[in-house]
């Protein structure tokens, strides 16, 4: 087995007693999808913000192994390094695509932004990447010059995914990527995501409260409750044989059609 | 046209150049910082001036701070010496500072300008003062001031090209014609104030000192003499300046920036130089 991509040790940020997250440790390997599940207020999103370098922790460390194989301590690195990482080797898919997209510029410009930030100065190349990625996320390439606000919710979410994946990241964070979508659109997006994750060998940390999403996408699950990780393990293992009482409650509360 | 005869005498009720000495010192300190870091926006304590924001209060405060008794001031508005903004600012400094004013570009030591750089090449020792409405080139795409400052600090300028990309995608070419963003000394992206992009090449390696003042936003920045200033572009869509099929209807110049005039209700057009002194000078030379 190769070396881990992300090494998290004793990560803590508390807003109050049991509010936030504390004592989180895990390793994430290349190509692995880690799901974080739990109820609202259990600290899932806080953990994701800490992991993605958006919120400095009160204690603990995050190590990231870069493309060159060097270990980088996320929060002792400079802000410039963190930002570079976030727009090259990392991606972040927001729950609400309006937060992750530039709504005032066309779909093509949204996809090209990361490339431009990396110094691509050829219009043809940017255009090509835009058309290519619209195709990959199943949006009609003819809509490359349309504003994202003319897109449906599902299309906006797919555009956001394309915008993140264009720089071929190695690690993508997703915060409830299917949150605001109806069931059929959700299914299609999940299908697409699963394909892309396997094809590009992405490591993904995905936060969700939807166990169905977790089962479809995640290799491994972390169950959070009241700021702590109460159970971790392979997805099937947790969903089929939950050990912690809260996991059991979570699994049993899924509606069976 | 020439209002030199009506220039008022110095009014002793005002401190020299209107602003008090402490304010001028404060602005000079900010200017020194701006010159030391080309293209960097320095905040300054902008004062209330006796005319509205948008009429050149930022430029006037800078001019007031750098004027000396021996200076010769030229003020232009869209290239013209005889439009309202130019005339009133020139009279203002003639009255409050009692300095000499001129319309001749080579004779001026300080040139305050609204949105043009004179056609006549600038010389070492001259100072250009620009009136700036929005100093932040990133503002159109990033509304947050904290965020734009971080972007400047970290040299994180990827979004600048998003605007140019949008232009090409929409119009087939870079349609931004004024306030065309530039990179100063390969470090800071700067808004050159709303000068036409025709004037952008004149900023590069200019022997004159360029000062930019934004009154409402209370920011100033500078391009020192002989500083590299390059306009942003794409490899396959390089930066280009405007070209006209016409020449100036008055002086016949093919090189200058032309204003389009509509002469009658039928839409008859005429093109004349935007730089009035340059145009008048050429007419004089042709008549000799």
């Amino acid at each position: 087995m190769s070396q881990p991509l992300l090494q998290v040790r004793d990560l803590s940020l508390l807003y109050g007693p049991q509010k936030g997250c504390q004592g989180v440790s895990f390793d994430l390997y290349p190509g692995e999808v880690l799901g974080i599940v739990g109820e609202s207020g259990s600290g899932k999103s806080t953990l994701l913000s800490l992991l993605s370098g958006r919120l400095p922790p009160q204690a603990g460390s995050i190590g990231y192994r870069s493309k060159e194989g060097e270990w980088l301590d996320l929060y002792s690195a400079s802000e410039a390094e963190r930002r570079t990482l976030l727009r090259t080797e990392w991606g972040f898919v927001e729950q609400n695509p309006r937060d992750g997209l530039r709504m005032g510029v066309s779909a093509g410009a949204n996809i090209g932004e990361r490339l431009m930030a990396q110094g691509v100065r050829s219009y043809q190349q940017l255009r090509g990447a835009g058309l290519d990625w619209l195709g990959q996320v199943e949006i009609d390439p003819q809509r490359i010059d349309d504003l994202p606000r003319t897109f449906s919710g599902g299309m906006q979410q797919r555009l956001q995914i394309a915008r993140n994946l264009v720089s071929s990241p190695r690690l993508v964070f997703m915060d409830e990527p299917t949150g605001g979508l109806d069931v059929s659109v959700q299914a299609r997006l999940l299908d697409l995501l699963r394909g892309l994750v396997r094809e590009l060998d992405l490591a993904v940390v995905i936060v969700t409260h939807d166990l169905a999403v977790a089962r479809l996408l995640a290799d491994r699950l972390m169950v959070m409750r009241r700021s702590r990780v109460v159970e971790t393990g392979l997805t099937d293992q947790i969903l089929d044989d939950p050990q912690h009482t809260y996991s059991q409650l979570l699994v049993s509360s899924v509606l069976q059609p | 046209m020439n209002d030199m005869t009506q220039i008022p005498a110095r009014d002793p009720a005002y401190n020299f150049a209107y602003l008090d000495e402490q304010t001028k010192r404060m602005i000079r300190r900010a200017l020194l910082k701006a010159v030391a870091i080309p293209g960097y926006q320095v905040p300054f304590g902008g004062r209330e001036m006796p005319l509205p924001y948008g009429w050149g209060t930022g430029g006037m405060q800078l001019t007031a701070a750098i004027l000396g008794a021996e200076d010769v001031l030229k003020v232009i508005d869209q290239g013209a010496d005889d439009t309202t903004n130019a005339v009133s600012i020139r009279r203002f400094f003639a009255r409050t500072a009692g300095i000499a004013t001129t319309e001749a570009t080579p004779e001026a030591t300080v040139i305050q300008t609204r949105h043009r750089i004179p056609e006549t090449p600038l010389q070492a020792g001259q100072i250009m003062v620009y009136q700036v409405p929005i100093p932040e080139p990133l503002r159109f795409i990033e509304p947050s001031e904290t965020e734009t400052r971080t972007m400047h600090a970290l040299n994180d300028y990827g979004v600048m090209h998003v605007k140019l990309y949008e232009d090409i995608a929409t119009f087939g070419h870079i349609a931004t014609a004024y306030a065309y963003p530039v990179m100063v000394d390969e470090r800071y992206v700067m808004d050159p104030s709303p000068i036409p992009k025709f004037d952008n090449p004149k900023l590069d390696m200019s022997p004159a000192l360029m000062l930019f003042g934004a009154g409402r936003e209370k920011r100033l920045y500078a391009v020192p003499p002989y500083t590299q200033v390059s306009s942003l572009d794409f490899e396959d869509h390089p930066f280009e300046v405007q070209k006209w099929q016409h020449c100036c209807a008055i002086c016949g110049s093919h090189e200058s920036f032309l204003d389009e005039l509509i002469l009658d209700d039928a839409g008859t057009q005429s093109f004349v130089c935007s730089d009035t002194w340059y145009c008048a000078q050429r007419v004089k030379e042709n008549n000799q």
Side-chain angles (χ1 to χ4, degrees):
Chain A
M1 190 68 194
S2 55
Q3 280 191 327
L5 194 64
L6 200 66
Q7 215 160 35
V8 179
R9 293 290 173 268
D10 276 327
L11 207 57
S12 294
L13 175 72
L14 287 179
Y15 303 108
Q18 302 191 337
K19 291 272 176 288
C21 75
Q22 55 182 324
V24 179
S25 302
F26 66 89
D27 287 346
L28 185 73
Y29 288 86
E32 188 184 28
V33 181
L34 173 71
I36 304 174
V37 296
E39 60 194 0
S40 296
S42 59
K44 306 185 299 276
S45 296
T46 305
L47 178 58
L48 199 66
S49 298
L50 290 173
L51 293 176
S52 58
R54 298 178 160 196
L55 201 61
Q58 286 159 344
S61 69
I62 302 171
Y64 171 73
R65 192 167 53 83
S66 70
K67 255 184 190 141
E68 291 75 39
E70 285 167 27
W71 281 97
L72 181 79
D73 183 350
L74 196 59
Y75 283 100
S76 58
S78 71
E79 194 180 352
E81 281 178 293
R82 268 207 299 280
R83 282 173 89 103
T84 312
L85 209 57
L86 258 173
R87 65 167 187 241
T88 53
E89 298 189 21
W90 291 10
F92 197 110
V93 178
E94 306 266 3
Q95 175 172 9
N96 185 345
R98 279 155 202 276
D99 297 336
L101 291 172
R102 287 194 191 277
M103 298 304 284
V105 300
S106 69
N110 265 295
I111 296 179
E113 185 182 331
R114 275 174 167 242
L115 297 177
M116 293 186 234
Q118 287 171 26
V120 174
R121 292 289 175 265
S122 155
Y123 179 75
Q124 280 311 321
Q125 200 180 332
L126 293 165
R127 196 77 180 163
L131 292 167
D132 178 36
W133 272 99
L134 282 179
Q136 290 212 42
V137 297
E138 298 167 16
I139 298 176
D140 181 0
Q142 291 196 340
R143 303 205 57 182
I144 187 166
D145 292 332
D146 291 352
L147 292 180
R149 79 166 78 94
T150 65
F151 288 13
S152 71
M155 283 166 80
Q156 286 180 1
Q157 196 56 283
R158 278 179 277 150
L159 180 61
Q160 195 194 174
I161 289 164
R163 172 185 154 91
N164 274 289
L165 296 186
V166 68
S167 64
S168 1
R170 304 164 73 211
L171 174 58
V172 178
F173 300 96
M174 297 186 188
D175 190 0
E176 310 252 14
T178 57
L181 306 174
D182 67 56
V183 188
S184 59
V185 177
Q186 258 190 35
R188 197 160 151 222
L189 185 74
L190 286 173
D191 208 35
L192 176 81
L193 271 179
R194 197 159 57 160
L196 288 172
V197 164
R198 297 284 173 265
E199 194 181 315
L200 305 170
D201 201 25
L202 287 177
V204 178
V205 178
I206 183 169
V207 159
T208 180
H209 63 265
D210 187 340
L211 290 183
V213 171
R215 191 192 277 278
L216 263 176
L217 279 181
D219 303 316
R220 210 147 55 91
L221 276 190
M222 266 174 29
V223 184
M224 287 191 74
R225 190 188 187 214
R226 293 190 189 154
S227 79
R228 291 184 186 280
V229 175
V230 294
E231 189 170 355
T232 62
L234 297 176
T235 306
D236 293 344
Q237 188 188 331
I238 290 194
L239 293 183
D240 297 338
D241 182 20
Q243 301 294 312
H244 191 273
T245 45
Y246 176 69
S247 312
Q248 290 168 358
L249 180 74
L250 202 66
V251 171
S252 66
S253 61
V254 173
L255 293 174
Q256 301 294 338
Chain B
M1 178 175 167
N2 195 328
D3 59 353
M4 289 299 161
T5 51
Q6 300 156 34
I7 289 287
R10 163 133 201 240
D11 186 338
Y14 291 105
N15 188 38
F16 181 80
Y18 186 75
L19 290 176
D20 64 277
E21 294 304 314
Q22 288 307 316
T23 300
K24 290 196 275 186
R25 284 183 65 182
M26 173 270 295
I27 295 175
R28 285 176 203 142
R29 275 198 296 269
L31 281 173
L32 286 175
K33 181 168 179 180
V35 170
I37 318 172
Y40 173 75
Q41 298 168 47
V42 185
F44 74 105
R47 296 294 189 256
E48 200 73 26
M49 296 300 278
L51 78 172
Y53 287 131
W55 285 60
T57 52
M60 283 173 75
Q61 290 178 72
L62 264 50
T63 302
I66 58 171
L67 270 187
E70 303 302 313
D71 271 318
V72 181
L73 179 69
K74 171 183 164 82
V75 184
I76 51 175
D77 172 6
Q78 307 282 5
D81 289 276
D82 52 2
T83 47
T84 317
N85 198 230
V87 170
S88 59
I89 293 176
R90 191 164 51 229
R91 285 175 60 90
F92 177 84
F93 282 114
R95 182 167 166 210
T96 56
I99 44 131
T101 59
T102 180
E103 292 187 4
T105 307
E107 287 167 23
T109 55
V110 177
I111 304 173
Q112 182 170 337
T113 172
R114 175 167 175 260
H115 315 344
R116 273 312 308 280
I117 298 176
E119 307 288 355
T120 316
L122 300 169
Q123 306 149 13
Q126 287 186 311
I127 302 177
M128 289 285 296
V129 177
Y130 297 76
Q131 304 168 195
V132 183
I134 300 168
E136 180 53 74
L138 300 162
R139 181 65 70 237
F140 74 96
I141 202 147
E142 183 50 71
S144 154
E145 175 71 21
T146 346
E147 183 60 22
T148 53
R149 283 203 211 184
T150 317
M151 288 158 92
H152 282 296
L154 301 177
N155 208 345
D156 187 1
Y157 288 132
V159 292
M160 278 321 292
H161 279 81
V162 171
K163 170 94 187 336
L164 304 181
Y165 172 96
E166 280 292 274
D167 269 4
I168 303 174
T170 318
F171 304 107
H173 61 100
I174 299 178
T176 305
Y178 66 95
Y180 192 103
V182 293
M183 175 66 91
V184 180
D185 201 22
E186 295 178 351
R187 178 59 186 85
Y188 283 100
V189 166
M190 183 187 92
D191 181 350
S193 86
I195 58 172
K197 66 177 171 184
F198 180 88
D199 285 342
N200 272 19
K202 296 181 196 165
L203 289 166
D204 186 33
M205 288 303 186
S206 169
L209 169 65
M210 312 277 181
L211 305 176
F212 300 78
R216 192 191 331 248
E217 308 255 342
K218 299 175 176 53
R219 294 279 184 283
L220 56 83
Y221 48 102
V223 176
Y226 303 107
T227 303
Q228 193 183 336
V229 178
S230 51
S231 306
L232 303 181
D233 61 0
F234 285 107
E235 287 158 6
D236 38 1
H237 287 267
F239 173 77
E240 278 174 352
V241 298
Q242 295 100 322
K243 288 189 186 74
W244 287 263
Q245 290 171 337
H246 310 75
C247 59
C248 171
I250 301 173
C251 73
S253 171
H254 289 275
E255 282 87 45
S256 68
F257 185 84
L258 299 180
D259 283 342
E260 180 186 348
L261 301 179
I262 304 293
L263 299 176
D264 55 25
D265 288 350
T268 315
Q269 308 161 312
S270 177
F271 288 86
V272 296
C273 290
S274 125
D275 186 338
T276 51
W277 183 81
Y278 169 82
C279 194
Q281 202 62 19
R282 277 179 56 91
V283 169
K284 208 188 279 177
E285 280 167 16
N286 290 346
N287 288 345
Q288 279 169 1

